């Protein structure tokens, strides 16, 4: 995980930048406000505007640490461009991502340090998380819905820090995802996301500045996936959600 522009400047969704490499239908930018996706999070959506018009960014393909913006039309682009992230999509991803941290924190606290085995955020305002929870009572998982919404209501601030890989491994629960522990940045540090007063964990995604910026959510479904895994599906209440 390299450090992304959106990690340093999460509020900046529009940026004037420059094409540094291009082929028909794909472009590499000097700087980009787009999150490229990964770790269960979908890549940002949005458009690029340049002297000849505007084109939608259909996907982002990461090759050798470089983020190719794949365009909806096979245009060839050069020079100065304006990159604009879709604010509604970014907001929805950040809400879901922050809420999965809250869910994860409460499961970790109430189920003796249970680890995450997978996570996926969806474009329809839902997300799922898989936990290593042998013999867990699904009703106890369902009962986490009111405490999750209480954390959202409390408007806890979200902060970031960078720690060394060795330091990250020493702090219990910091690297919590058994399947996709985030790789360190080129300088050997790991990005830590803290929901102040609740939780700290390593993560490279986009999050809200504080928890009350999320809509409330529902726990939609709990499935048993094998003897060990529980899959918890959550959804935001309101437009584009549950
Ligand atoms: Zn995260």
């Amino acid at each position: 995980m390299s450090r992304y522009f959106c990690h340093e400047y999460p509020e900046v969704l529009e940026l004037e930048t420059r094409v540094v490499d291009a082929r028909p239908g794909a472009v590499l930018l000097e700087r980009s406000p787009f999150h490229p996706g990964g770790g269960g999070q979908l890549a940002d959506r949005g458009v690029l505007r340049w002297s000849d018009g505007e084109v939608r960014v259909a996907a982002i393909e990461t090759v050798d640490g470089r983020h190719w913006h794949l365009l909806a039309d096979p245009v060839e682009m050069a020079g100065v461009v304006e990159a604009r992230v879709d604010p509604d999509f970014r907001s929805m991803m950040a809400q879901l991502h922050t809420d999965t941290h809250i869910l994860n924190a409460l499961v970790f606290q109430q189920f003796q340090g249970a680890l995450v085995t997978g996570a996926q955020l969806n474009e329809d305002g839902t997300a799922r998380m898989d936990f290593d929870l042998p013999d867990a009572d699904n009703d106890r998982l369902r009962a986490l819905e009111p405490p999750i919404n209480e954390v959202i209501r409390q408007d806890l601030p979200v902060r970031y820090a960078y720690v060394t890989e060795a330091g990250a491994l020493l702090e219990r629960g910091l690297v919590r995802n058994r399947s996709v522990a985030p790789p360190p940045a080129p300088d050997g540090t790991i990005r830590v996301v803290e929901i102040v007063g609740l939780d700290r964990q390593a993560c490279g995604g986009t999050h809200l500045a504080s928890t009350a910026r999320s809509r409330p959510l529902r726990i939609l479904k709990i499935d048993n996936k094998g003897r060990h895994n529980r899959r918890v599906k959550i959804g935001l209440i309101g437009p584009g959600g549950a």
Side-chain angles (χ1 to χ4, degrees):
M1 177 182 72
S2 50
R3 292 192 190 186
Y4 304 143
F5 178 87
C6 65
H7 287 166
E8 311 295 324
Y9 306 100
E11 310 295 333
V12 177
L13 301 185
E14 298 180 18
L15 187 64
E16 193 175 277
T17 182
R18 209 169 50 81
V19 173
V20 293
D21 201 355
R23 57 177 196 261
V27 68
L28 199 62
L29 302 176
E30 189 173 64
R31 291 193 304 171
S32 171
F34 285 70
H35 190 283
Q41 177 168 339
L42 301 175
D44 274 325
R45 296 183 178 169
V47 296
L48 302 183
R49 281 185 186 161
W50 83 114
S51 55
D52 278 359
E54 178 178 299
V55 65
R56 192 166 57 79
V57 176
I60 295 183
E61 183 183 55
T62 302
V63 181
D64 297 331
R66 308 203 312 167
H67 306 296
W68 284 91
H69 295 57
L70 307 186
L71 310 174
D73 302 309
V75 293
E76 290 196 63
M77 202 178 278
V80 172
V81 303
E82 194 185 323
R84 300 168 72 110
V85 170
D86 177 340
D88 294 335
F89 189 80
R90 164 68 71 83
S91 164
M92 189 181 71
M93 280 294 121
Q95 289 181 61
L96 285 172
H97 204 139
T98 306
D99 295 341
T100 59
H101 282 244
I102 298 170
L103 167 65
N104 186 344
L106 296 179
V107 168
F108 190 76
Q109 287 171 8
Q110 297 190 18
F111 293 85
Q112 288 81 43
L115 293 178
V116 176
T117 53
Q120 181 62 53
L121 313 186
N122 301 314
E123 60 186 316
D124 65 356
T126 68
R128 68 161 172 82
M129 291 197 91
D130 295 340
F131 296 97
D132 183 9
L133 280 172
D135 311 318
D137 177 352
N138 288 348
D139 286 338
R140 274 185 67 206
L141 282 165
R142 256 177 230 110
L144 294 176
E145 184 183 292
I148 292 170
N149 285 312
E150 176 58 22
V151 171
I152 291 173
R153 202 193 55 75
Q154 286 170 351
D155 201 21
L156 304 180
V158 177
R159 291 198 298 230
Y160 300 93
Y162 289 87
V163 301
T164 63
E165 194 175 6
L169 292 172
L170 281 174
E171 185 175 331
R172 180 177 174 273
L174 197 63
V175 178
R176 200 170 301 162
N177 195 324
R178 189 168 269 186
S179 57
V180 285
D187 64 1
T189 59
I190 285 178
R191 182 177 187 245
V192 172
V193 181
E194 177 178 16
I195 299 177
V196 176
L198 180 74
D199 185 57
R200 270 163 67 85
Q201 60 177 285
C203 185
T206 57
H207 311 82
L208 302 169
S210 62
T211 58
R213 299 188 187 203
S214 174
R215 285 177 268 159
L217 63 81
R218 287 204 182 99
I219 292 180
L220 300 174
K221 203 171 173 211
I222 295 168
D223 285 325
N224 296 353
K225 292 281 172 188
R227 199 165 63 82
H228 278 272
N229 283 304
R230 292 292 183 282
R231 173 165 291 180
V232 181
K233 190 168 184 192
I234 59 172
L236 298 170
I237 295 174

